[in-house]
Structures are given as C-alpha cells and as structure tokens.
Amino acid sequence: MTSSPYPLGLRLHGRRVVVVGGGAVATRRVPALLDAGADVLLVAPELTPALRARADAGRLHWVPRRFVPEDLDGAWLVQVAVDDPMAAASVSAVAAERRIFCVRADDRTAATAWTPAVTRHGPVTVAVLGGGDPRRAMTVRDAVRDLLAVRLAPDGIAGRPDASTGTTGGRQAGRVALVGAGPGDPELITVKGWRLLTEADVVVADRLVPGLLLDELRPDVELVDASKIPYGPSRAQEEINQILVDRALAGAFVVRLKGGDPYVFGRGGEELLACAAAGVPVTVVPGVTSSIAAPAAAGIPVTHRGVAHEFTVVSGHLAPDAPASLVRWDALAGLHGTLVVLMGLKNLAAITATLIAHGRSPQTPAAVVQEATTGTQRVLRSTLGEVAADALTAELRPPAVVVVGDVVNALDS
Ligand SMILES: C[S@@+](CC[C@H](N)C(=O)[O-])C[C@H]1O[C@@H](n2cnc3c(N)ncnc32)[C@H](O)[C@@H]1O
C-alpha cells in the first residue's frame, strides 16, 4: 500500500548525518547538508575530488572505509549513496533497527525518507515531492521557482535597515538595488540581477545595458534613461543620485542597472554613498565585467598557465600625461602580465606610445574587442606598436576593450 509522505523541515544544525558512499550522488547531496549546518560523517573508501576538497577543508568527517553499524552511533539521518543494492540494504537495515530515517539513492521504495526537489529564495525554501516521480517534482519546482523570481522580495539588503519603508504589493519598497547587467549579451546578467529587475518599480539604466533586458520590463515600470540626462558628467551623476534617492523615498523599489559590474568604472560607489546618506537601503548585485568578458568573447583568457600570472584593469579615459590621471603607466609598462584597458580607444596612440617608451616591447600582442558579446562584436588583433593605427584604419569605436599581452595569442593553435 502506498500512502502520502509526511513533509518535514529537518533542522540539522550540529546534528550528525551519515552519508554512505563517496561518488556522484553523495557529491550532489552533501552541499545541502553542510548548508543546513549538519555534522556530516562520510563513510566511503574513496571520494570524488569535490568531496575530498570538503574533507580536506575540515567541513566534514571522512572515514575512508566501508560502512560498519557503529557508524550510525549518534546519527539523526542517513543518506545511502552507493550503487550496490546489497550494501545499501544492509545500511538501511541497521538504520531501521535504530529508528533512524534513511534516504536511499538506489531504491526509493525501500527508503524511509525521500529528498525533495528544492528551490530557495532568501528565507523561503520550497520542497516538492513528485509522488515517486523525481522528474515531475523537478518540473513543479522549476515552475514555482520562476513564480517566486517574479513575486518575492530581494534579500541581502545592505545599508540602514531602519530606513526601510516596508513592502507594497509583495514588492520591496523604498529600496535601491545597484545591479550589474553584464557586458552586452542579455543572458549574461546574474540570476539575482534578473530577479530584482523583474521586481522593480523604477529602472534607471545606463547607455551600455543590454537593450533586450529593458524590452522585457513590465509595461508599468518607469524607465529612466540615465544617458539622456543633460549637464556634464558630474552634474549628471548628481542628478542620477537624486533620482535614486527621491524615487526610493517615495516608496518605489528602484533598480539602478549598469553595464558590466557596478563597481568597475561604474560609479556605483558614489550612488551607494548617496543612498546611504539619505537613509535608503541599498543592495549591490555584482555583474560580469567587460574587462574579463570582452577578452573571453574574443577567445582571449586574461590569465593562462605559463603565459600570464596577473591581469591589470585600467581606465584609459584620461591621456597618460593628463594632470588628473591616477594611472602609473610607466609602472604598468614594466609588468609581464595582461593589461586590459577600458575606455581607451580615444587615447590609444598616447597609451601605447607611453607603454613602449617605458619598456614594453612593441611586438607584444594586442587586441581590441568592440561591442563584445553582442551580435555586432568586432575583434582586431595586432601588436602594441601597431594597434592604435590599426584600430583607426578599422574604424573601431566605443565601447571597446584593449588587451595587451601574450595571452592574446595563447589559445591560437
Ligand atoms: C564606464 S566603463 C563601464 C565598465 C563596466 N562597469 C564593466 O564592468 O564592464 C565603459 C567601458 O567599458 C568597456 N565596455 C563595456 N561594455 C563593453 C562591451 N560590450 N564590449 C567592449 N567593451 C565594453 C568599454 O571600454 C567602455 O568604454
């Protein structure tokens, strides 16, 4: 006779859970147990490298041998993750004798407990059992996860909690999220960034954010195009800060959507400080920065074993001889590793000349990646000595990233 399972949320913090087996199933199950704070005893002659790393880091106890009944001393739960049905049955028999619930990867009908398909959203955990069909459970779980992504409030809010104005209609009101939108491909926003974007009442977007992300906003969302704000760069930034603060204080959930990562030449720090000064809580969601993604999109790894052990990201917005420049181009010329220059197209001739004048070889490989990760991406490969002229001839234009170093040719076969 089959009867319905009785759902429970096990509070495993500090409680002994025995996992028998050290293969793929255990590799999938152990992280959630550790996340729940369980005191994990892993019994297996051998472990996968991922489990081994956790054992080496002292996150679990590993007994490198086969199971013996005494392993269940003090246990609250057992997870049997071995293929051999005889071995699994003998563990379950000991568990049953001791009245310890036992999950079995090899035979769910013989198990006394089942693991559900799970999705977690901040403090909320949803666990789905599919009536004996794990695929059904996962399908339902995925549907619930998508629903929660739209409905649930953002978590991890930083800033002054006392400034929160609560929630309206299930959304977080009176808050700002600085969200990195990634380099251009709309699929390169993070899951969390996307979730907050679908939550927003107001979106303040930069010129470089992927247009398709904006295309998918709800029709009632107020979209502020930050690149259209008049005045010079510093007045415009003040205006943006004011818009973030004003809208949040009026009760809106504001997403400030920025190209790449908010803190890489993104002025995210200034916006956070402005919000904090006004008592508006802010959460920051990092993004995939073009300084790494643009080279990657052109087949250039910013580090490569035996080629480059460092990469330096630098702004080329100011010419090397500009009094306000904070960049030590002479010191950068002495590095062997990879140099990634953002906003450097306009000053490329001066930048490359300065690097060469201070000792970097003109033969050093160099590349320019324009509009990386988009359908209009262009890649130019050259050398430090030639790249400025080549970029002019090719009529490259911003946004573009310049990469200098032997990594440019590292993956050429
Ligand atoms: C103001 S900075 C912002 C950088 C951004 N916060 C990031 O992490 O990628 C703008 C510069 O980033 C670079 N950039 C941004 N998106 C790019 C893309 N899709 N392709 C090439 N370069 C890009 C260009 O150098 C551009 O001038």
Side-chain angles (χ1 to χ4, degrees):
M1 191 192 88
T2 49
S3 45
S4 306
Y6 180 76
L8 279 179
L10 297 186
R11 302 178 63 221
L12 293 176
H13 192 89
R15 303 203 158 101
R16 167 64 50 100
V17 176
V18 177
V19 178
V20 183
V25 175
T27 305
R28 288 178 50 191
R29 298 280 178 243
V30 162
L33 293 171
L34 294 177
D35 196 55
D39 167 22
V40 174
L41 178 76
L42 193 49
V43 185
E46 283 172 25
L47 298 185
T48 62
L51 288 171
R52 184 65 193 253
R54 291 196 156 86
D56 289 348
R59 301 224 36 223
L60 50 83
H61 309 281
W62 175 34
V63 192
R65 57 159 169 71
R66 292 187 170 281
F67 173 80
V68 297
E70 292 70 35
D71 289 332
L72 296 195
D73 288 353
W76 292 69
L77 179 69
V78 191
Q79 291 253 1
V80 185
V82 292
D83 294 334
D84 176 1
M86 298 278 282
S90 71
V91 180
S92 343
V94 180
E97 210 172 275
R98 299 185 177 209
R99 303 289 188 266
I100 301 168
F101 278 105
C102 181
V103 181
R104 279 183 58 171
D106 65 309
D107 181 358
R108 60 192 332 279
T109 57
T112 51
W114 292 340
T115 43
V118 171
T119 179
R120 295 181 176 84
H121 288 252
V124 175
T125 301
V126 179
V128 180
L129 294 166
D133 179 351
R135 280 179 187 278
R136 186 192 295 150
M138 283 159 69
T139 305
V140 174
R141 185 269 319 269
D142 290 347
V144 173
R145 182 179 54 200
D146 291 350
L147 215 59
L148 287 176
V150 179
R151 294 270 169 84
L152 261 195
D155 53 8
I157 300 287
R160 287 173 42 185
D162 56 341
S164 166
T165 55
T167 62
T168 49
R171 300 200 195 107
Q172 291 285 323
R175 295 171 182 270
V176 170
L178 304 180
V179 175
D185 178 345
E187 294 200 322
L188 287 177
I189 191 171
T190 62
V191 173
K192 185 166 185 172
W194 172 248
R195 175 160 69 84
L196 297 192
L197 196 57
T198 60
E199 276 280 294
D201 301 309
V202 179
V203 174
V204 182
D206 271 347
R207 187 171 40 92
L208 283 183
V209 306
L212 279 180
L213 288 177
L214 305 178
D215 202 42
E216 295 180 27
L217 295 177
R218 292 192 323 274
D220 60 312
V221 171
E222 182 194 358
L223 179 62
V224 180
D225 183 345
S227 63
K228 295 261 168 61
I229 291 173
Y231 322 114
S234 65
R235 252 318 287 291
Q237 185 61 56
E238 279 172 34
E239 284 291 313
I240 293 169
N241 297 350
Q242 202 57 52
I243 290 170
L244 300 180
V245 167
D246 287 350
R247 299 292 198 281
L249 290 180
F253 174 44
V254 186
V255 165
R256 172 68 171 117
L257 191 64
K258 304 168 83 73
D261 180 275
Y263 283 171
V264 178
F265 306 130
R267 307 192 70 165
E270 291 166 61
E271 292 168 3
L272 179 128
L273 290 173
C275 291
V280 172
V282 182
T283 189
V284 180
V285 183
V288 175
T289 174
S290 65
S291 53
I292 298 172
I300 302 168
V302 289
T303 69
H304 194 65
R305 198 162 81 93
V307 176
H309 291 177
E310 88 235 2
F311 66 96
T312 307
V313 179
V314 56
S315 166
H317 180 57
L318 294 175
D321 61 355
S325 174
L326 299 176
V327 181
R328 288 272 316 275
W329 292 100
D330 54 333
L332 293 178
L335 298 176
H336 294 291
T338 308
L339 190 61
V340 181
V341 186
L342 268 60
M343 299 176 280
L345 222 42
K346 184 176 47 124
N347 294 316
L348 195 53
I351 287 170
T352 53
T354 306
L355 290 171
I356 292 167
H358 287 93
R360 192 103 197 216
S361 163
Q363 303 309 323
T364 310
V368 183
V369 192
Q370 175 187 308
E371 292 169 81
T373 77
T374 70
T376 48
Q377 171 174 306
R378 293 180 67 194
V379 181
L380 170 84
R381 282 162 190 270
S382 180
T383 61
L384 186 60
E386 308 277 329
V387 69
D390 288 350
L392 264 185
T393 308
E395 296 182 355
L396 292 187
R397 56 171 201 272
V401 162
V402 182
V403 196
V404 178
D406 291 334
V407 288
V408 167
N409 299 331
L411 302 188
D412 291 353
S413 46

